[in-house]
Coordinates of all heavy atoms in Angstrom, one line a residue:
D9 N -5.7 18.4 -5.1 CA -5.7 19.9 -5.4 C -6.9 20.2 -6.3 O -6.8 21.2 -7.0 CB -4.4 20.4 -5.9 CG -3.8 19.6 -7.0 OD1 -4.4 18.5 -7.3 OD2 -2.9 20.0 -7.6
D10 N -7.9 19.4 -6.2 CA -9.1 19.7 -7.1 C -9.7 21.0 -6.7 O -10.3 21.7 -7.6 CB -10.2 18.6 -6.9 CG -9.6 17.2 -7.4 OD1 -8.7 17.2 -8.2 OD2 -10.1 16.2 -6.9
D11 N -9.6 21.4 -5.5 CA -10.3 22.7 -5.0 C -9.3 23.9 -5.1 O -9.7 25.0 -4.8 CB -10.8 22.5 -3.6 CG -9.8 22.1 -2.6 OD1 -8.7 21.6 -3.0 OD2 -10.0 22.4 -1.4
D12 N -8.1 23.7 -5.6 CA -7.2 24.8 -5.7 C -7.4 25.5 -7.0 O -7.5 24.9 -8.1 CB -5.7 24.3 -5.7 CG -5.3 23.8 -4.4 OD1 -5.8 24.3 -3.4 OD2 -4.4 22.9 -4.3
D13 N -7.5 26.8 -6.9 CA -7.7 27.7 -8.1 C -6.4 28.2 -8.7 O -6.4 28.7 -9.7 CB -8.6 28.9 -7.7 CG -10.1 28.4 -7.4 OD1 -10.5 27.4 -7.9 OD2 -10.7 29.1 -6.6
E14 N -5.3 28.0 -7.9 CA -4.1 28.5 -8.3 C -3.5 27.7 -9.4 O -3.6 26.5 -9.4 CB -3.1 28.6 -7.1 CG -3.6 29.6 -6.0 CD -2.7 29.6 -4.8 OE1 -1.5 29.8 -5.1 OE2 -3.2 29.3 -3.7
E15 N -2.7 28.3 -10.3 CA -2.0 27.6 -11.4 C -0.6 27.2 -10.9 O 0.1 28.0 -10.3 CB -2.0 28.5 -12.6 CG -3.3 28.7 -13.2 CD -3.8 27.6 -14.1 OE1 -2.9 26.9 -14.7 OE2 -5.0 27.4 -14.2
A16 N -0.2 26.0 -11.3 CA 1.2 25.6 -11.0 C 2.1 26.3 -12.0 O 1.7 26.4 -13.1 CB 1.3 24.1 -11.0
E17 N 3.3 26.6 -11.5 CA 4.3 27.2 -12.4 C 4.8 26.0 -13.3 O 4.9 24.9 -12.9 CB 5.4 27.8 -11.6 CG 5.1 29.0 -10.9 CD 4.7 30.2 -11.8 OE1 5.4 30.4 -12.8 OE2 3.7 30.9 -11.4
P18 N 5.2 26.3 -14.6 CA 5.8 25.3 -15.4 C 7.1 24.8 -14.8 O 7.8 25.6 -14.2 CB 6.1 26.0 -16.7 CG 5.4 27.3 -16.7 CD 5.1 27.6 -15.2
I19 N 7.3 23.5 -14.9 CA 8.5 22.9 -14.4 C 9.6 22.9 -15.4 O 9.4 22.4 -16.5 CB 8.2 21.4 -13.9 CG1 7.1 21.4 -12.9 CG2 9.4 20.8 -13.4 CD1 6.5 20.1 -12.6
P20 N 10.8 23.5 -15.0 CA 11.9 23.6 -16.0 C 12.4 22.2 -16.4 O 12.3 21.2 -15.6 CB 13.0 24.3 -15.2 CG 12.3 25.0 -14.1 CD 11.1 24.1 -13.8
P21 N 12.8 22.1 -17.7 CA 13.3 20.8 -18.2 C 14.3 20.1 -17.3 O 14.3 18.8 -17.2 CB 13.8 21.1 -19.6 CG 13.2 22.4 -20.0 CD 12.9 23.1 -18.7
H22 N 15.3 20.8 -16.8 CA 16.3 20.2 -16.0 C 15.7 19.6 -14.7 O 16.3 18.7 -14.1 CB 17.5 21.2 -15.7 CG 17.1 22.2 -14.7 ND1 16.3 23.3 -15.0 CD2 17.4 22.4 -13.4 CE1 16.2 24.1 -13.9 NE2 16.8 23.6 -13.0
I23 N 14.6 20.0 -14.2 CA 13.9 19.4 -13.1 C 13.0 18.3 -13.5 O 12.9 17.3 -12.8 CB 13.1 20.5 -12.3 CG1 14.2 21.5 -11.7 CG2 12.3 19.9 -11.2 CD1 13.6 22.6 -10.9
Q24 N 12.4 18.5 -14.7 CA 11.5 17.4 -15.2 C 12.2 16.1 -15.2 O 11.6 15.1 -14.9 CB 11.0 17.8 -16.6 CG 9.9 18.8 -16.7 CD 8.5 18.2 -16.4 OE1 8.4 17.0 -16.2 NE2 7.6 19.1 -16.4
S25 N 13.4 16.1 -15.6 CA 14.2 14.8 -15.7 C 14.5 14.1 -14.4 O 14.8 12.9 -14.4 CB 15.5 15.0 -16.5 OG 16.4 15.9 -15.7
K26 N 14.3 14.9 -13.3 CA 14.6 14.3 -12.0 C 13.3 13.8 -11.3 O 13.4 13.3 -10.2 CB 15.3 15.3 -11.1 CG 16.7 15.7 -11.7 CD 17.4 16.8 -10.9 CE 18.7 17.1 -11.5 NZ 19.4 18.2 -10.7
I27 N 12.2 14.1 -11.8 CA 10.9 13.7 -11.2 C 10.7 12.2 -11.3 O 10.8 11.6 -12.4 CB 9.7 14.5 -11.8 CG1 9.9 16.0 -11.6 CG2 8.4 14.0 -11.3 CD1 8.9 16.8 -12.4
V28 N 10.3 11.6 -10.2 CA 10.1 10.2 -10.1 C 8.6 9.9 -10.1 O 8.1 8.9 -10.7 CB 10.7 9.6 -8.8 CG1 10.4 8.1 -8.6 CG2 12.2 9.8 -8.8
E29 N 7.8 10.8 -9.5 CA 6.4 10.5 -9.3 C 5.7 11.9 -9.1 O 6.3 12.8 -8.6 CB 6.2 9.7 -8.0 CG 4.8 9.2 -7.8 CD 4.7 8.2 -6.6 OE1 5.7 7.9 -5.9 OE2 3.6 7.8 -6.3
K30 N 4.4 11.9 -9.5 CA 3.6 13.2 -9.3 C 2.4 12.8 -8.5 O 1.8 11.6 -8.7 CB 3.2 13.8 -10.7 CG 4.4 14.3 -11.5 CD 3.9 14.9 -12.8 CE 5.1 15.4 -13.6 NZ 4.6 16.0 -14.9
S31 N 1.8 13.7 -7.8 CA 0.5 13.5 -7.1 C -0.6 13.4 -8.2 O -0.3 13.8 -9.4 CB 0.2 14.6 -6.1 OG 0.1 15.9 -6.8
P32 N -1.7 12.9 -7.9 CA -2.8 12.6 -8.9 C -3.1 13.9 -9.7 O -3.3 13.8 -10.9 CB -4.0 12.2 -8.1 CG -3.3 11.5 -6.9 CD -2.1 12.3 -6.6
A33 N -3.2 15.1 -9.1 CA -3.5 16.3 -9.8 C -2.2 17.1 -10.2 O -2.3 18.2 -10.6 CB -4.4 17.2 -9.0
E34 N -1.1 16.5 -9.9 CA 0.3 17.0 -10.3 C 0.7 18.3 -9.6 O 1.5 19.0 -10.1 CB 0.3 17.2 -11.8 CG 0.2 15.9 -12.6 CD 0.4 16.0 -14.1 OE1 0.8 17.0 -14.5 OE2 0.3 14.9 -14.7
R35 N 0.1 18.5 -8.4 CA 0.5 19.7 -7.6 C 1.9 19.4 -7.0 O 2.8 20.2 -7.0 CB -0.5 20.0 -6.5 CG 0.0 21.1 -5.6 CD -1.0 21.5 -4.6 NE -0.4 22.6 -3.8 CZ -1.1 23.2 -2.9 NH1 -2.3 23.0 -2.7 NH2 -0.4 24.2 -2.1
Y36 N 2.1 18.1 -6.5 CA 3.3 17.7 -5.9 C 4.1 16.8 -6.8 O 3.6 16.0 -7.4 CB 3.0 17.0 -4.5 CG 2.1 17.9 -3.6 CD1 0.8 17.8 -3.6 CD2 2.7 18.9 -2.9 CE1 0.0 18.6 -2.8 CE2 2.0 19.7 -2.0 CZ 0.6 19.5 -2.0 OH -0.2 20.3 -1.2
I37 N 5.4 17.0 -6.7 CA 6.3 16.1 -7.5 C 7.4 15.6 -6.5 O 7.8 16.2 -5.6 CB 7.0 16.9 -8.6 CG1 7.7 18.2 -8.2 CG2 5.9 17.2 -9.7 CD1 8.4 18.9 -9.3
R38 N 7.6 14.3 -6.7 CA 8.6 13.6 -5.9 C 9.9 13.3 -6.6 O 9.8 13.0 -7.8 CB 8.0 12.3 -5.3 CG 9.0 11.5 -4.4 CD 8.4 10.3 -3.9 NE 8.3 9.2 -4.8 CZ 9.3 8.3 -5.1 NH1 10.5 8.4 -4.6 NH2 9.1 7.3 -5.9
F39 N 11.0 13.5 -5.9 CA 12.3 13.3 -6.5 C 12.9 11.9 -5.9 O 12.3 11.4 -4.9 CB 13.2 14.4 -6.2 CG 12.8 15.7 -6.7 CD1 12.2 16.7 -5.9 CD2 12.9 16.0 -8.1 CE1 11.7 17.9 -6.4 CE2 12.4 17.2 -8.6 CZ 11.8 18.2 -7.7
K40 N 13.9 11.4 -6.5 CA 14.5 10.2 -6.1 C 15.2 10.3 -4.7 O 15.3 9.3 -4.0 CB 15.5 9.7 -7.1 CG 16.0 8.3 -6.9 CD 16.9 7.9 -8.0 CE 17.5 6.5 -7.7 NZ 18.3 6.0 -8.8
E41 N 15.6 11.5 -4.3 CA 16.4 11.7 -3.1 C 15.6 11.3 -1.9 O 14.6 11.9 -1.5 CB 16.8 13.1 -3.0 CG 17.7 13.4 -1.8 CD 18.0 14.9 -1.7 OE1 17.7 15.7 -2.6 OE2 18.5 15.3 -0.7
K42 N 16.1 10.3 -1.2 CA 15.5 9.8 0.1 C 16.1 10.6 1.2 O 17.3 10.7 1.4 CB 15.8 8.3 0.3 CG 15.0 7.8 1.5 CD 15.3 6.3 1.8 CE 14.8 5.4 0.7 NZ 14.9 4.0 1.1
L43 N 15.2 11.2 2.0 CA 15.6 12.0 3.2 C 15.8 11.1 4.4 O 16.5 11.5 5.3 CB 14.6 13.1 3.4 CG 14.4 14.1 2.3 CD1 13.4 15.1 2.6 CD2 15.8 14.8 2.0
G44 N 15.0 10.0 4.5 CA 15.1 9.2 5.7 C 14.2 8.0 5.6 O 13.4 7.9 4.6
S45 N 14.3 7.1 6.5 CA 13.5 5.9 6.6 C 13.1 5.6 8.0 O 13.8 5.9 8.9 CB 14.2 4.7 6.0 OG 14.5 4.9 4.7
G46 N 11.9 4.9 8.1 CA 11.5 4.5 9.4 C 11.1 3.0 9.2 O 11.4 2.4 8.2
A47 N 10.5 2.5 10.3 CA 10.1 1.1 10.2 C 9.1 0.7 9.1 O 9.2 -0.3 8.5 CB 9.4 0.7 11.6
Y48 N 8.2 1.7 8.8 CA 7.2 1.4 7.8 C 7.1 2.5 6.7 O 6.2 2.5 5.9 CB 5.8 1.3 8.5 CG 5.8 0.3 9.6 CD1 5.5 0.6 10.9 CD2 6.0 -1.1 9.2 CE1 5.5 -0.4 11.8 CE2 6.0 -2.0 10.2 CZ 5.7 -1.7 11.5 OH 5.7 -2.6 12.5

Side-chain angles (χ1 to χ4, degrees):
D9 50 349
D10 297 337
D11 57 338
D12 287 334
D13 294 332
E14 298 178 54
E15 293 278 329
E17 291 294 320
I19 300 167
H22 71 283
I23 293 177
Q24 281 281 359
S25 65
K26 297 178 182 180
I27 296 172
V28 175
E29 187 175 359
K30 295 180 181 181
S31 63
E34 299 187 1
R35 175 176 179 171
Y36 302 96
I37 54 177
R38 180 177 75 84
F39 301 103
K40 187 176 180 177
E41 180 184 351
K42 187 186 288 188
L43 301 175
S45 295
Y48 304 118

